[in-house]
């Protein structure tokens, strides 16, 4: 099938399918959009086959994850996704059912997080690759990485480390837990939930915010660097994923601090707001554990403690390296 | 070098480097932008190594071309580029000088066409691939593919077919012209000029508009289909690139009608505006040939005539095919 036919059949999303303000969606030289009041927030992410996902990844979940990665960046600014473009490179041998499932995954994400797919590109290439760009809106001042203040508490949403555990089991480098627990961990890896509703609820309370895509330690280091502060984290304060019963303490901490692909929120907030923040965990439409895991102080760098003793890690998290 | 270090060194474009309205550019979870009055136009394009360009392509020109492809889409709506994101996938063996040259190419494009690079992604992958997303603004009603009217003239900018000739010479399928003429053709292929200023000047005159990325015939067919009209093109009315002296008539027409990568504008406009449009060709800051190459009539489909005789082509233009 030709690219135009695949786009017409599978990717011709209706303009009113999710977000608002879409005059013209997929199919012309460019989409035509009317922005609402507020500042726009824009983020772009690429997932490559063989690097970010296995070449045999389920196309429905792959589309959802690619979209979630960018929606999560919008959430981490305290914003709300409006519009998404998806550029898909696929081998010429890709079957039409693969495109259908990918298209359905994207549609389900756009419905879940209330945005519209307004454009993209479909090209041939040896390697499967997806680049998503999400445009969102902030109606409150954006939550940057540079806004942590001395005295702030450090919080994370969800249970950090389950995605890294699921990946390590697939790679054969860590032991598996019982099937039901591994299923939950695999859902974290393959079908992450961008914390858009939580972030919006925190938008006028939190100071700095960032999503944990490349590992908790790397995220803390980035916030500390951009905010010119020191951050101390307490390893015992992190909620434990159920699958962690299969791991010893050192394996658990490796997944929690250095593993990536969590897409949970890392944020700092004034200590006085702690009680108010804790109640959000059980709020309607949020329902995610919130853990207060550390403190911001004057200085620089990140320290991690376990029962008062400092922990050290060989690397800070996931990053691409070039020659 | 790690991705963060490459981004910090080469891709940390200043927020005031091109377009306006940038509160926060490269370096946080998302860019923060303030849209001007008007409707936003958004387009995404991917160029893959081995498919859209040779793996040994000059990185400076490659960056300029990747950006031009998306800016050209914004121009084709009658819009003006404001902000660009670039997602770059590169093999782990890519040298730091390659990134430096790519970064300089992107900076030169952003300066030429007055937009700001506000974000992107840098990932490892086996194959070089670039996805650009440009957000622009239309202060006049966008020029769609569906707006051609019966009685309109059909126009194109520039000299169509030179990029296809340069590519065919590199592939060894067509003969080369003299060095200076081939240099001009190669510039069309490797360093296309998005016709943003011309399109803006036509924004209240033209009816339908589209850029000719995948071939003139395919572009005419798309406009005819979306506008529910017939289009008749006169092969003799097209301006000839200098390199065409090396080609016979059939080879010339193959490059002109079926070759791609031109990024010139195809547009329709009322016959009464012909004189006014013709004067734009020599206007300051535009300076590009404009050829009136056909007519829009009631009906459907595209016909191409040469001295009153119909021409036929085996294919309409470039498209990706999947199994």
């Amino acid at each position: 099938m030709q690219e135009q036919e695949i786009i017409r059949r599978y990717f011709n999303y209706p303009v009113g399918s999710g977000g608002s303000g879409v005059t013209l969606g997929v199919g012309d030289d460019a989409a035509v959009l009317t922005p609402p009041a507020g500042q726009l927030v824009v983020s772009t992410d690429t997932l490559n086959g063989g690097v970010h996902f296995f070449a045999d990844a389920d196309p429905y979940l792959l589309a959802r994850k690619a979209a979630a990665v960018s929606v999560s960046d919008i959430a981490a600014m305290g914003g709300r996704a409006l519009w998404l473009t998806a550029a898909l490179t696929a081998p010429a041998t890709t079957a039409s059912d693969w495109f259908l499932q990918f298209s359905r995954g994207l549609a389900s994400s756009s419905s879940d997080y209330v945005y519209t797919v307004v454009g993209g590109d479909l090209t041939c290439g040896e390697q499967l690759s997806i680049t998503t760009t999400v445009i969102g809106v902030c109606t409150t001042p954006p939550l940057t990485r540079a806004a942590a203040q001395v005295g702030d508490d450090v919080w994370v949403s969800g249970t950090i480390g389950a995605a890294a555990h699921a990946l390590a089991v697939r790679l054969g480098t860590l032991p598996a837990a019982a099937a039901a627990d591994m299923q939950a961990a695999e859902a974290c890896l393959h079908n992450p939930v961008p914390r858009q509703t939580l972030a919006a609820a925190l938008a006028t309370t939190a100071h700095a915010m960032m999503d944990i895509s490349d590992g908790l330690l790397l995220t803390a280091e980035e916030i500390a660097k951009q905010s010119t502060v020191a951050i101390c984290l307490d390893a015992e304060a992190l909620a434990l994923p159920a699958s962690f019963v299969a791991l010893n303490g050192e394996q658990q901490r490796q997944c929690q601090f250095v593993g990536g692909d969590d897409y949970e929120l890392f944020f700092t907030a004034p200590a006085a707001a702690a009680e108010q923040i804790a109640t959000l965990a059980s709020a309607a439409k949020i329902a995610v554990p919130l853990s207060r895991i550390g403190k911001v102080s004057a200085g620089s760098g990140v320290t991690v403690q376990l029962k008062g003793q400092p922990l050290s890690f060989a690397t800070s998290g996931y990053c691409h390296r070039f020659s």
Side-chain angles (χ1 to χ4, degrees), chain A:
Chain A
M1 226 187 310
Q2 295 188 0
E3 57 176 297
Q4 290 89 342
E5 177 66 8
I6 294 170
I7 292 168
R8 196 189 59 73
R9 274 203 204 180
Y10 303 128
F11 295 103
N12 197 6
Y13 297 101
V15 296
S17 59
S20 55
V22 184
T23 301
L24 201 60
V26 174
D28 215 297
D29 290 284
V32 179
L33 309 164
T34 305
Q39 284 186 295
L40 295 178
V41 276
V42 178
S43 183
T44 295
D45 296 275
T46 299
L47 300 184
N48 293 322
V51 178
H52 300 89
F53 59 88
F54 297 99
D56 64 353
D58 178 288
Y60 180 92
L61 291 177
L62 183 59
R64 283 184 61 86
K65 178 160 181 175
V69 166
S70 286
V71 173
S72 178
D73 280 323
I74 300 302
M77 303 302 285
R80 167 170 73 82
L82 296 169
W83 310 305
L84 176 142
T85 65
L88 175 58
T89 296
T93 51
T94 306
S96 65
D97 187 63
W98 193 97
F99 292 111
L100 172 63
Q101 297 308 324
F102 187 90
S103 153
R104 286 186 176 158
L106 207 49
S108 73
S109 170
S110 104
S111 166
D112 287 354
Y113 304 110
V114 198
Y115 62 83
T116 306
V117 180
V118 296
D121 199 359
L122 176 59
T123 54
C124 264
E126 283 170 37
Q127 202 181 23
L128 203 54
S129 176
I130 303 132
T131 296
T132 47
T133 301
V134 175
I135 304 175
V137 65
C138 276
T139 52
T140 46
L143 300 165
T144 71
R145 300 176 178 182
Q149 293 178 22
V150 173
D152 276 359
D153 289 333
V154 174
W155 294 80
V156 290
S157 65
T159 51
I160 309 298
H165 185 196
L167 178 62
V169 167
R170 163 86 192 240
L171 294 173
T173 57
L174 282 181
D181 294 338
M182 285 320 299
Q183 226 166 5
E186 279 156 19
C188 292
L189 178 63
H190 299 303
N191 198 10
V193 176
R195 302 296 180 190
Q196 198 170 227
T197 314
L198 170 63
L202 289 164
T204 54
T205 312
H207 286 156
M209 192 179 275
M210 181 174 168
D211 74 332
I212 308 171
S213 49
D214 298 325
L216 175 56
L217 191 54
L218 205 67
T219 304
E221 286 174 353
E222 170 72 4
I223 295 267
K225 186 178 166 196
Q226 298 299 332
S227 298
T228 332
V229 294
I231 289 177
C232 182
L233 302 178
D234 175 8
E236 281 191 293
L238 283 159
L240 295 184
S243 71
F244 272 25
V245 295
L247 305 180
N248 66 35
E250 196 184 324
Q251 291 168 332
Q252 291 180 2
R253 288 185 291 276
Q254 191 66 23
C255 287
Q256 283 176 316
F257 285 92
V258 185
D261 259 351
D262 290 302
Y263 306 101
E264 294 292 349
L265 294 177
F266 179 105
F267 59 97
T268 79
E275 210 169 313
Q276 178 204 335
I277 290 169
T279 63
L280 288 175
S282 54
K285 295 188 185 172
I286 294 180
V288 60
L290 294 175
S291 307
R292 187 155 47 140
I293 64 163
K295 288 296 287 181
V296 177
S297 60
S300 65
V302 173
T303 52
V304 181
Q305 296 200 333
L306 179 70
K307 299 181 204 291
Q309 297 300 309
L311 290 178
S312 64
F313 298 90
T315 60
S316 295
Y318 186 79
C319 73
H320 298 271
R321 281 162 208 279
F322 297 89
S323 64

